[in-house]
Amino acid sequence: MSQPTLAAARRRPPPVRPPLSLASAWHDAGVRAWIYQIVVVAGVIGLGAFLIGNAQDALSKQGISTGFSFLWQTAGFDIGETIVPFSSQDSFLKAYGVAVLNTLKVAAAGIALSTVIGVIVGVGRLSQNLLVRKLASIYVEVFRNTPQLLQLIFWYTLITSLPRPRDALSVGGAAFLSNRGLSMPWFGADFPVFASLAALIAGCAAGWGLLCLSDARRRRMAQFGAAALALGAPLAVILASGASLQISVPRLAGFNFRDGTTISPEFLALLLGLSLYIAAFIAEIVRSGIQSVSRGQVEAAASIGLSRFHTYRKVIFPQALRVMVPPAAGQFVSVVKNSSLGVAVGYPELFSINNTIVTLSGHTVEAIAIMMSIYLGISFVIAMAMNLYNRFVQIRER
């Protein structure tokens, strides 16, 4: 093609596209997919509104009030174990707040304890010591293949069958285990426990963000900064509050222990029932994650003189986390959902308090909807946090 012909081709105007019409849009597969999805979502919303409207009409004909205005009414019942003060004169809304805090309290403790036990047992399953390996296998088989509710009742029966406080089992003369629960040393009354915990969480989040933003050359400096943020934030709160760092030790006075803090039998039974059961599943997740790392990686670590501890810390676990995090997130969500079994032993978690609210308020549908929404929200938050962590530990592809 000659030079003038090429120049003419370059000056040629772009082809004119036909105007967009409904017919052409309908023949586009992407547009049709969006239309189908919008129609399905609208149909589901419409069906839900129709069912809710019919339920409200049926309830109103029977003289039963509907709506969420009952949340501001007086609760009229007490809660035996609370993190924040609560009385029978408070509202149903505050009762839900107490229930959520109690659920988060046992769920957080259960997630932490089950993770520690699961990692230890999972590593033990691959131990070269025959006794350790068999004991870990027995633990997994026993706790994974018995009903969780049965385990929960077993622990509650065992704890309530312990000696009374006067004959309590002593743990080093500082902690005491009896049928009233576990009495152990704790901070003084003026110590800002929750503010320090919130500062610790905020400091850890800020440190994690600093690690994410740092590059490889500044990694060591970023690690130092993250540790300073995690430890400095709660320390600053403690110093700002002017609280004393005295530890209160429990002492027997009359028929029970005074000072320190006491963990109730209901909380202990629920914590053990949740943690030991979920730990069996986490142990299998840890075992499979470790086995997913190629044998050559372990042999390479041994060839350069790394100890078994450093091999796990620097070679195996960083790679196994990519496999372990997604299924572990599902088990953490199960801890939150299975905390509803606390109703069997009388622990005032969300499900138990919601049953009381349903009985006293008469708003069954609304109360169950609130409870489902709370469980769903907590599960979404845990899943989102684990997904963020999973992205952080993943190996970046080029």
Side-chain angles (χ1 to χ4, degrees), residues 23-24 48 69 104-105 135-136 151 164 172 176 197 237 250 280 298 306 337 341 359 362:
S24 61
S69 59
L104 292 177
K105 173 184 172 183
L135 288 177
Q151 297 179 29
R164 57 186 182 176
F176 303 92
L197 181 60
V237 170
V298 181
L306 287 182
K337 295 186 296 184
L341 295 175
T359 303

Side-chain angles (χ1 to χ4, degrees), residues 281-302:
F281 292 89
I282 293 180
E284 289 298 278
I285 293 172
V286 171
R287 180 186 62 81
S288 61
I290 292 174
Q291 289 181 327
S292 68
V293 179
S294 65
R295 185 66 184 171
Q297 297 280 338
V298 181
E299 293 175 352

Side-chain angles (χ1 to χ4, degrees), residues 71-75 86-96:
L71 292 174
W72 284 266
Q73 298 176 3
T74 302
F86 181 84
S87 68
S88 59
Q89 301 303 316
D90 291 321
S91 64
F92 286 121
L93 183 61
K94 188 173 182 179
Y96 271 115

Side-chain angles (χ1 to χ4, degrees), residues 7 73 175 186 201 250 316 341:
Q73 298 176 3
W186 195 245
I201 295 174
I316 297 177
L341 295 175

Side-chain angles (χ1 to χ4, degrees), residues 341-394:
L341 295 175
V343 68
V345 295
Y347 179 73
E349 41 72 45
L350 179 58
F351 187 81
S352 176
I353 294 178
N354 188 78
N355 287 345
T356 305
I357 293 175
V358 168
T359 303
L360 295 179
S361 67
H363 291 260
T364 305
V365 177
E366 294 89 342
I368 293 178
I370 292 173
M371 179 178 63
M372 292 175 61
S373 301
I374 293 173
Y375 278 123
L376 189 63
I378 296 174
S379 300
F380 274 150
V381 169
I382 293 176
M384 187 167 30
M386 295 302 292
N387 286 334
L388 290 175
Y389 181 76
N390 190 35
R391 292 179 183 177
F392 176 71
V393 300
Q394 278 182 345

Side-chain angles (χ1 to χ4, degrees), residues 14-44:
V16 180
R17 295 182 178 181
L20 185 65
S21 62
L22 292 178
S24 61
W26 178 254
H27 289 293
D28 189 334
V31 174
R32 286 203 310 272
W34 274 104
I35 294 175
Y36 293 151
Q37 294 179 56
I38 293 173
V39 170
V40 170
V41 171
V44 171

